[in-house]
């Protein structure tokens, strides 16, 4: 269970392991989970783990206990749900086990390419996920290849003969997103002059790729959750539900876990989408792939891939690549387009956002605010965790004590940063 206090930033969230008898939540010092929040009653609520999730009981608190915008007295909440207790958030999480999958022997999966260990680990997970119809959640910065991964999953699955439909959750207008996703009947709203089937019907028998799922309005998320659970949805203006056979693959560059904790994304929907969760690494964490990627991109643009090396390659290896592989592809296409016909790699005009050989841009307004912020936070996580493990041995128990965070939360931060500790000797 994760607890986010009323005034605490998200990174200071506490993790609390629930005993089988449950815990008492409140402001009193006798409570197992004490919240220093003036809006929380002395003995506010109890939370008990049960087979179906978590049994939550309000103890007559003055400000109430809230779930999905409704004040509750007693309810069994599913794993992933977020409770509002006073001005604090309490997120109900199941215990998690980790599975260490060996890297794939392959150096590509569909149009994804990489011989580095981080990418071959991704390929191993994708290979296994392609054998089932389980929902997949692809996480990673912009330009890391999430849509390529989704297309490759579909092409390698038993559904490859069916349609692959892309729905951009961030591009559709809020007023029309339900119609575009679920469909509508003629006359359902002003302007609905004919029946419209929607993305789910279009993807029947195949795969629906929900791009930028983190931008899906909170009001639409319950309907998507019902479809995931029952494989049926009621189009706008319809009386009967319609059933669809669809495999779901979702993706986002946002920190969806933080959005769940902040109440911007439903925890139960997150867990239904993240049956298989895959974090695509940024290019700066797999720089061994840059030379072969450069050669492949040169060939794709009709240029010679000979003599890739020297100072030009060193510049590319030192660069931070905030736009990841997408940015590398654009840089190489521009270099070929602006270079002299038949120019060698060392003579091509390779233009980067900054020529910083020893520094990376801290914060620049050359990309959308959210993307710039996510990139900066990702670099912070990577640098902080690398130094933390260097100082701690790396002993994960000691690292958690030094960082003053719960060990389970440290695992999540390390995973988000793409860091796999080599040695956990001494871990408790």
């Amino acid at each position: 269970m994760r607890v986010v206090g009323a005034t605490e930033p998200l990174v200071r969230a506490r993790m609390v392991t629930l005993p089988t008898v449950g815990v008492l939540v409140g402001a009193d010092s006798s409570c197992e989970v004490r919240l220093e929040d003036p809006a929380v009653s002395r003995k506010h609520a109890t939370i008990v783990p049960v087979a179906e999730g978590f049994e939550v009981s309000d103890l007559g608190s003055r400000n109430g206990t809230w779930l999905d915008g409704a004040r509750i007295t007693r309810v069994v909440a599913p794993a992933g749900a977020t409770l509002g207790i006073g001005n604090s958030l309490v997120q109900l999480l199941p215990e998690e086990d980790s599975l260490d999958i060996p890297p794939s022997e392959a150096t590509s999966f569909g149009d994804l390419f990489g011989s580095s260990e981080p990418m071959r680990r991704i390929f191993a997970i994708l290979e296994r996920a392609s054998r089932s119809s389980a929902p997949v959640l692809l996480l990673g910065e912009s330009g890391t290849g999430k849509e390529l991964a989704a297309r490759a999953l579909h092409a390698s699955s038993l559904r490859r003969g069916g349609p692959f439909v892309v729905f951009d959750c961030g591009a559709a207008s809020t007023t029309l997103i339900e119609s575009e996703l679920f469909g509508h009947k003629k006359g359902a709203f002003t302007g609905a002059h004919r029946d419209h089937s929607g993305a789910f019907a279009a993807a029947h028998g195949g795969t629906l790729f929900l791009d930028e799922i983190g931008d899906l309005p909170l009001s639409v998320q319950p309907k998507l959750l019902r479809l995931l659970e029952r494989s049926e949805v009621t189009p706008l203006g319809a009386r009967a539900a319609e059933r669809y056979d669809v495999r779901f693959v979702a993706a986002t560059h946002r920190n969806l876990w933080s959005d769940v904790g902040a109440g911007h994304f439903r925890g139960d929907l997150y867990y239904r989408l993240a049956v298989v969760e895959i974090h695509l690494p940024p290019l700066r964490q797999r720089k061994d792939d840059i030379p072969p990627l450069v050669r492949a991109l040169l060939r794709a643009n009709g240029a010679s891939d000979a003599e890739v090396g020297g100072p030009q390659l060193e510049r590319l290896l030192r660069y931070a690549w905030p736009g990841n592989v997408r940015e590398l592809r654009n840089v190489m296409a521009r270099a070929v387009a602006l270079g002299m016909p038949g120019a060698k790699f060392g003579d091509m005009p390779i233009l980067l956002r900054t020529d910083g050989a020893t520094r990376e841009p801290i914060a620049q307004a050359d990309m959308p605010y959210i993307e710039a912020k996510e990139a900066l936070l990702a670099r912070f996580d990577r640098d902080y965790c690398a130094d933390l493990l260097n100082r701690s041995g790396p002993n994960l128990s000691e690292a958690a004590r030094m960082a003053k965070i719960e060990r389970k939360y440290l695992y999540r931060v390390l995973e988000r940063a793409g860091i796999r500790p080599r040695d956990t000797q001494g871990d408790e």
Side-chain angles (χ1 to χ4, degrees):
M1 183 177 77
R2 181 162 70 165
V3 180
V4 184
T7 58
E8 291 181 298
L10 190 59
V11 295
R12 294 178 58 197
R14 289 181 287 145
M15 297 290 293
V16 178
T17 300
L18 290 182
T20 55
V21 295
V23 293
L24 176 63
V25 181
D28 193 83
S29 59
S30 63
C31 295
E32 290 87 356
V33 179
R34 185 184 180 191
L35 298 177
E36 297 180 0
D37 178 347
V40 171
S41 298
R42 291 180 62 251
K43 295 184 179 180
H44 197 109
T46 60
I47 303 175
V48 180
V50 294
E52 299 83 6
F54 301 84
E55 184 179 275
V56 182
S57 301
D58 185 82
L59 302 178
S61 64
R62 65 180 183 274
N63 291 319
T65 302
W66 299 77
L67 175 65
D68 293 336
R71 186 166 181 167
I72 60 100
T73 301
R74 183 178 180 184
V75 70
V76 175
T82 300
L83 303 174
I85 296 182
N87 293 322
S88 300
L89 297 174
V90 175
Q91 192 176 7
L92 306 175
L93 308 174
E95 290 287 347
E96 292 188 352
D97 295 322
S98 60
L99 178 63
D100 189 15
I101 298 178
S104 172
E105 295 297 324
T107 58
S108 65
F109 186 79
D111 289 333
L112 288 175
F113 172 82
S115 58
S116 62
E117 182 177 329
M119 285 306 291
R120 289 189 294 111
R121 288 189 179 277
I122 295 299
F123 297 157
I125 300 173
L126 290 170
E127 289 164 359
R128 297 192 183 194
S130 66
R131 302 169 193 160
S132 76
S133 290
V136 174
L137 178 62
L138 300 166
L139 301 175
E141 298 174 13
S142 295
T144 50
K146 297 185 290 294
E147 184 171 342
L148 292 179
R151 290 184 180 276
L153 267 174
H154 173 73
S156 299
S157 73
L158 295 176
R159 294 173 175 265
R160 54 183 171 270
F164 178 83
V165 177
V166 179
F167 184 84
D168 190 340
C169 300
S173 65
T174 304
T175 54
L176 293 178
I177 194 167
E178 284 196 57
S179 170
E180 294 299 316
L181 269 174
F182 310 122
H184 67 254
K185 295 297 182 181
K186 180 180 178 180
F189 52 86
T190 303
H193 302 303
R194 58 183 177 83
D195 290 353
H196 176 66
S197 57
F200 288 105
H204 182 64
T207 301
L208 177 61
F209 176 49
L210 298 168
D211 197 13
E212 292 305 336
I213 188 68
D215 294 335
L216 189 69
L218 197 60
S219 59
V220 181
Q221 293 176 24
K223 201 166 185 178
L224 176 58
L225 178 63
R226 286 195 296 273
L227 180 59
L228 283 163
E229 291 178 336
R230 304 174 188 172
S231 298
E232 62 181 31
V233 68
T234 304
L236 294 176
R239 295 183 178 180
E242 299 177 0
R243 296 187 63 83
Y244 300 113
D245 175 23
V246 177
R247 200 257 179 97
F248 297 92
V249 179
T252 182
H253 75 279
R254 298 169 63 95
N255 187 335
L256 208 57
W257 186 256
S258 296
D259 286 348
V260 170
H264 302 316
F265 197 86
R266 289 178 62 110
D268 46 7
L269 178 57
Y270 168 85
Y271 277 102
R272 289 294 290 128
L273 291 169
V275 175
V276 179
E277 185 174 297
I278 302 175
H279 296 252
L280 293 174
L283 186 55
R284 62 180 173 273
Q285 291 180 7
R286 56 182 191 104
K287 289 194 172 183
D288 289 347
D289 289 332
I290 290 179
L293 281 171
V294 168
R295 294 187 180 92
L297 291 168
L298 287 172
R299 292 193 300 270
N301 285 279
S304 171
D305 63 343
E307 300 183 21
V308 172
Q312 287 274 57
L313 182 59
E314 288 300 319
R315 286 183 60 212
L316 299 181
L317 291 171
R318 288 193 298 265
Y319 186 58
W321 297 110
N324 295 293
V325 179
R326 181 185 295 128
E327 184 180 8
L328 176 60
R329 183 181 63 233
N330 294 340
V331 165
M332 298 314 301
R334 182 168 57 238
V336 173
L338 299 180
M340 296 295 292
K344 296 180 180 179
F345 172 74
D347 298 324
M348 289 181 178
I350 294 181
L351 307 177
L352 304 176
R353 294 188 184 189
T354 172
D355 199 36
T358 59
R359 64 182 178 89
E360 297 182 0
I362 301 302
Q364 295 182 335
D366 57 353
M367 57 195 306
Y369 172 79
I370 295 297
E371 293 184 20
K373 181 179 178 182
E374 292 289 344
L376 185 61
L377 290 175
R379 289 199 294 273
F380 168 80
D381 280 349
R382 184 186 76 250
D383 294 344
Y384 182 90
C385 290
D387 187 58
L388 178 66
L389 293 180
N390 182 56
R391 293 168 183 259
S392 64
N395 178 320
L396 293 192
S397 293
E398 177 62 22
R401 283 191 287 269
M402 292 172 63
K404 295 184 178 180
I405 59 177
E406 293 289 334
R407 192 173 63 177
K408 290 182 180 179
Y409 187 66
L410 175 61
Y411 285 135
R412 291 194 174 277
V413 176
L414 290 172
E415 182 181 11
R416 189 169 65 233
I419 294 176
R420 297 176 59 85
R422 294 186 301 273
D423 180 17
T424 57
Q425 186 175 359
D427 206 7
E428 300 172 356

